[in-house]
Amino acid sequence: MFEKIEMLRMARAMGQHTQARHIEVARNIAHADTPGFRAHDLQPFAETYRQAEEGGTLRVSNARHLDAPQWSPGGARVIEVAGPVSPNGNSVSLEEEMVRAAEVKSSHDRSLTIYRSGLDLLRSSLGRR
């Protein structure tokens, strides 16, 4: 029932994107001293969500196959972050990763706020508030 409400679906997708981005930031921080490691990040949420809306879904070739969800974190493309490279070939900057971690926290809080607002609207419409 709640999957058909666009605002709740978008908040859920934003939360999943934030989770996947947090994993990439943590992976970058973990490999800060690994020689030759290149920093990665995800495409911005707006781009991945728009691509999913434009028809980026998987094609089902057999009736017994399950349809892909309208948006999934698998739709977010991992991109290499451009930046200065240290002498050992590592491109991870801990300062930039800390800034990304703060952006991830802000995005997570935003998705929770949107989801809570949607639930408050549903409760109000049902007269339970």
Side-chain angles (χ1 to χ4, degrees):
M1 176 176 132
F2 296 129
E3 297 86 25
K4 296 184 182 193
I5 300 173
E6 177 63 28
M7 184 171 71
L8 296 178
R9 187 171 60 216
M10 189 257 321
R12 179 178 172 266
M14 183 184 282
Q16 288 177 333
H17 182 269
T18 301
Q19 174 192 8
R21 189 165 184 223
H22 179 72
I23 290 170
E24 286 301 319
V25 169
R27 184 174 293 135
N28 289 343
I29 292 171
H31 289 284
D33 292 331
T34 304
F37 185 80
R38 301 292 181 161
H40 296 97
D41 199 359
L42 290 182
Q43 267 184 315
F45 173 71
E47 288 180 29
T48 58
Y49 195 71
R50 184 177 61 243
Q51 287 171 357
E53 290 293 316
E54 291 172 356
T57 60
L58 296 175
R59 185 175 46 138
V60 177
S61 59
N62 189 324
R64 293 176 292 175
H65 293 169
L66 295 176
D67 235 351
Q70 182 147 7
W71 189 92
S72 69
R77 227 180 42 200
V78 177
I79 56 175
E80 190 172 311
V81 177
V85 179
S86 67
N88 70 355
N90 191 312
S91 68
V92 176
S93 167
L94 288 178
E95 292 84 9
E96 290 179 20
E97 295 305 320
M98 296 313 287
V99 169
R100 280 193 197 97
E103 290 173 1
V104 167
K105 168 84 168 90
S106 173
S107 178
H108 181 258
D109 291 345
R110 186 178 314 117
S111 69
L112 286 177
T113 301
I114 293 169
Y115 198 78
R116 283 185 191 127
S117 297
L119 290 179
D120 287 345
L121 284 171
L122 283 174
R123 284 188 202 108
S124 296
S125 68
L126 293 173
R128 294 187 181 180
R129 187 158 192 199

